[in-house]
Amino acid sequence: MDDPHVLHPGHAPTPFTADEIRRRCPTGRTVTARTEAAGKPDRVDITVFLETDDEGALLESNGTRHRVTWRELQNHASFPAEVTTIDEDVVEGPLGRIECLGYRVVAEDTVSTFWFAKDRPGMPVLFTTETEGTLISTTMVIADELVE
C-alpha cells in the first residue's frame, strides 16, 4: 500500500504513521492516564518509554516491561473502514484544549471513540466505550511529559 497511514486493506487511515509516533516518543516520555469504569475503582496507568530506537521501544507500564515496535503502536489505531467514522473535534481536560481527530468505531451494540491529539502522535488523549447507549468506561490522559 502506498499510504503509510493505511496498514490493512479495508481499514481506515490511522491518525499517525509509525515514524511520526517514533519521533514523538523519545526515551523518557511518560504518559499518565486515568480510567473510570462503571462499577470499578478508578485506575491510573503510567507508561514510560524506557529505551527507544529506530524499530521500537521498551515500555514500562505499572511495573511491567515489554518491547513494542512503532508499527505495532500504529496498528492499535487501525480499524475497519466500514465501521469507523473520523471527525475533527476538540477535547478539553487536564492537558488543556486539544485539537483532535475523533475515531468512532461501532461494533454491534458497542461504540468505542478515540480522540487522537493532532500534535501528539501516540495513544489517544481520550477514549470512551459505550454499550447499548450507556457509558461503560472513560480513559483520559492526565499528564504527558517529554524529556527534551
Side-chain angles (χ1 to χ4, degrees):
M1 281 177 244
D2 293 335
D3 185 347
H5 290 269
V6 178
L7 295 182
H8 309 286
H11 274 223
T14 60
F16 313 111
T17 65
D19 192 53
E20 289 168 332
I21 296 168
R22 179 191 57 76
R23 287 194 311 262
R24 177 63 179 172
C25 298
T27 297
R29 182 180 184 186
T30 302
V31 180
T32 305
R34 178 179 48 239
T35 300
E36 300 170 358
K40 297 181 182 177
D42 290 359
R43 184 182 83 227
V44 174
D45 295 301
I46 300 171
T47 301
V48 181
F49 289 77
L50 295 175
E51 299 171 9
T52 61
D53 56 39
D54 289 343
E55 299 301 315
L58 175 64
L59 301 181
E60 181 175 84
S61 184
N62 296 341
T64 301
R65 293 180 179 195
H66 65 285
R67 175 102 178 139
V68 296
T69 67
W70 302 119
R71 177 114 173 175
E72 287 170 328
L73 293 178
Q74 179 185 1
N75 196 56
H76 290 166
S78 182
F79 308 107
E82 66 186 22
V83 297
T84 304
T85 56
I86 304 169
D87 293 303
E88 298 211 6
D89 207 348
V90 173
V91 168
E92 294 196 34
L95 300 179
R97 187 177 194 277
I98 301 172
E99 300 287 328
C100 295
L101 291 175
Y103 281 59
R104 184 175 188 267
V105 183
V106 179
E108 297 180 16
D109 61 353
T110 299
V111 177
S112 299
T113 307
F114 307 83
W115 287 268
F116 295 94
K118 291 180 180 181
D119 65 348
R120 292 176 188 263
M123 70 180 287
V125 293
L126 178 62
F127 163 55
T128 62
T129 301
E130 298 177 30
T131 299
E132 297 179 352
T134 300
L135 183 63
I136 302 300
S137 68
T138 300
T139 299
M140 178 173 275
V141 172
I142 57 175
D144 186 352
E145 301 164 346
L146 288 175
V147 175
E148 300 292 334

